[in-house]
Amino acid sequence: MDHFEIAIIGAGISGLMAATYLAKKGKNSVLFDKGRGPGGRMSTRRFGKFRLDHGAQFFTVRNPRFEKYVQSWEKAGVAKVWCKGFSGTGDGHPRFCGAEGMNSIPKWLAGQLDVRTGHKVKSVRFFNKSWHLDFEESPSVSADQLLMTSPVPQTIALLEAGQVELASSTRKFLSLISYNPCIAMMVIPKHPLSMPENGGWQINEEPIQFVADNQLKGLPNPGQALTFHLGPEASTEHWESEPEKLSELVRGELRRRGIKLEIKDIQIHHWRYSQPARIHDESCLVAEGVPNLVFAGDAFAGSKIEGSVLSGLSAAQAIGV
Ligand SMILES: Cc1cc2nc3c(=O)[nH]c(=O)nc-3n(C[C@H](O)[C@H](O)[C@H](O)COP(=O)(O)OP(=O)(O)OC[C@H]3O[C@@H](n4cnc5c(N)ncnc54)[C@H](O)[C@@H]3O)c2cc1C
C-alpha cells in the first residue's frame, strides 16, 4: 500500500493552496479528488464550441496575504481583473477571475503539485497510527496526516463510513455548518441577449442571482454563452425540475424585466453545496478525539474563494509547518 506523509482530500482551491504552502516549506503532500480535473467549485465547462464558468464567477480580495497570492497568479497570466463592480460605473473594487475561465487558476496550481484526479474516496479510517483512504476504483493508501477539504456534509459521510470517532465538540462544530444549493443554467441563446458591457449582471434576487456572458468576460468563445445562477430559494424549490421548467422560470423572469430570451441549447448543473450558509468561525478545525486530522475549506472563517484560500493556508500551518 502506498504511504504518504500528508494526504489531502479535495483539489479545490483550499486543498491546492494548502499543498502549495506545504511544498514551499519543503513538505510533500498528495491530493486526491473525485473530479476529472482539479478546481472543485472553480470550474469551467465545455459546452459544444463554448466554454463556460458554471461555479464561482469572480472573487474579491481583502486580506493582504491573499492579495500577494493573487498578484503571483496575475504575474503567471492565470488571473486577471474582470471589472471593478457590476452596477453603473462600479464601486472601484476589483473583481478578479481566471484568465481563460475560473479553472485557469486551480489548473496552474495543480501543475506544480501531486494531484490525483478521478480518485473518489469512499471512506476514511484510522488504525495502526495512520489514516487510510479507501477509493471507489483504486487501491487504498495511507498517510501520517490527513487534511479534508470536501464540503463538510461529504466529509462527515466519509468519516462515518470509516467509523471514525471524533470528540463530541468536533462533531458539533461540523454538524452546525450548512450550505445553500445553486442551480446553474448554461444557455446558448438563439439571439444575443443585451448584457452590461463587462458581461456581468448581478441581480442578487430570486429566482435569478447572477448572469454572466462568458464571451464578454474573456473566455475564448465564438459567440455568446450565458451562465445563470438561480438563488437559494428558487434552487431549493426547483431542485427536481426538468430543464424545460427551469428555462421557463428564467425566461418568465426576464420577460417580466422586458427582455426576450430564446434558447438554442441548454445544460443544467446542480451545486448541492454551492456556498456556506453557516460557517465555523475559525479558519480551520483541528479534530479532537483522533490525531493528525484537520478540516478546511470555505466553511471555515470566511466563505467564498478568499476564505477558502486562507483556510487552506491556515490548515497547512496547523499540520505543522
Ligand atoms: C454556483 C457558485 C457560485 C459561486 N460564486 C462565488 C463568487 O462569486 N465568489 C466567490 O468568491 N466564491 C463563489 N463561490 C464559492 C467558491 O467557489 C468556493 O467558496 C470555493 O471554490 C470552495 O473551494 P474549496 O476548496 O473549499 O471547496 P471545493 O472547490 O468544493 O473543493 C472540494 C473538492 O473536494 C472534492 N471531493 C469531494 N468529495 C470527495 C471525495 N469523496 N473524494 C475525492 N474528492 C472529493 C471535490 O471534487 C472538490 O474538488 C461560488 C460557488 C458556486 C458553486
Side-chain angles (χ1 to χ4, degrees):
M1 180 188 294
D2 284 341
H3 183 82
F4 303 95
E5 202 179 332
I6 304 166
I8 301 177
I9 299 181
I13 195 70
S14 56
L16 290 167
M17 290 307 292
T20 301
Y21 186 86
L22 289 165
K24 234 192 224 161
K25 299 287 173 185
K27 293 243 176 195
N28 288 328
S29 63
V30 55
L31 296 104
F32 296 102
D33 200 292
K34 66 180 179 181
R36 266 187 295 169
R41 282 171 271 164
M42 289 180 76
S43 166
T44 307
R45 167 191 280 215
R46 279 189 189 283
F47 185 4
K49 293 178 285 182
F50 300 89
R51 286 162 59 88
L52 298 93
D53 284 337
H54 67 303
Q57 294 294 324
F58 65 91
F59 57 92
T60 46
V61 180
R62 291 184 176 80
N63 181 291
R65 195 174 180 202
F66 181 46
E67 191 175 12
K68 280 205 178 133
Y69 280 102
V70 176
Q71 282 165 357
S72 71
W73 299 345
E74 283 185 283
K75 210 167 151 202
V78 293
K80 63 173 188 180
V81 174
W82 177 2
C83 60
K84 294 201 170 170
F86 293 107
S87 53
T89 51
D91 56 16
H93 295 293
R95 270 60 166 188
F96 291 88
C97 63
E100 292 204 339
M102 291 302 280
N103 200 242
S104 302
I105 300 162
K107 243 166 81 183
W108 178 73
L109 290 169
Q112 302 159 59
L113 299 166
D114 183 354
V115 179
R116 308 196 184 179
T117 52
H119 277 69
K120 182 167 183 181
V121 182
K122 64 173 189 194
S123 71
V124 155
R125 295 175 291 145
F126 186 77
F127 61 90
N128 289 347
K129 297 187 184 159
S130 295
W131 286 99
H132 294 253
L133 275 57
D134 303 313
F135 299 98
E136 279 194 347
E137 285 173 359
S138 334
S140 301
V141 300
S142 60
D144 296 332
Q145 311 215 50
L146 178 61
L147 169 58
M148 300 184 79
T149 70
S150 29
V152 170
Q154 295 177 333
T155 293
I156 293 173
L158 294 179
L159 293 164
E160 283 177 357
Q163 296 178 345
V164 175
E165 289 193 16
L166 299 170
S168 60
S169 54
T170 305
R171 272 206 316 270
K172 187 172 168 218
F173 286 141
L174 294 179
S175 69
L176 290 174
I177 291 168
S178 64
Y179 296 76
N180 283 324
C182 174
I183 296 179
M185 193 169 117
M186 290 147 277
V187 169
I188 312 301
K190 276 191 189 156
H191 314 288
L193 203 69
S194 170
M195 284 288 288
E197 207 178 320
N198 59 33
W201 183 16
Q202 193 160 38
I203 303 176
N204 270 347
E205 288 174 17
E206 296 285 348
I208 305 174
Q209 271 207 321
F210 195 85
V211 190
D213 177 325
N214 289 273
Q215 189 184 34
L216 288 178
K217 188 177 175 183
L219 278 80
N221 280 337
Q224 191 178 59
L226 301 163
T227 305
F228 291 85
H229 281 162
L230 302 192
E233 282 171 28
S235 298
T236 304
E237 189 184 336
H238 292 278
W239 195 249
E240 305 288 341
S241 295
E242 296 295 327
E244 294 71 34
K245 181 129 193 241
L246 292 172
S247 57
E248 242 342 283
L249 177 75
V250 166
R251 292 177 66 223
E253 175 60 19
L254 292 176
R255 243 186 339 263
R256 201 179 66 75
R257 293 168 183 267
I259 301 166
K260 188 173 169 197
L261 170 68
E262 287 187 77
I263 296 178
K264 191 168 155 198
D265 228 337
I266 182 171
Q267 277 188 6
I268 306 291
H269 185 88
H270 292 82
W271 295 101
R272 183 170 294 282
Y273 307 111
S274 82
Q275 295 193 56
R278 216 170 148 190
I279 61 172
H280 179 64
D281 59 9
E282 290 167 57
S283 52
C284 68
L285 179 64
V286 178
E288 286 181 20
V290 283
N292 303 330
L293 173 63
V294 182
F295 305 103
D298 65 342
F300 298 86
S303 80
K304 304 196 170 191
I305 289 169
E306 177 163 22
S308 313
V309 167
L310 296 174
S311 178
L313 295 173
S314 155
Q317 281 170 312
I319 278 172
V321 286

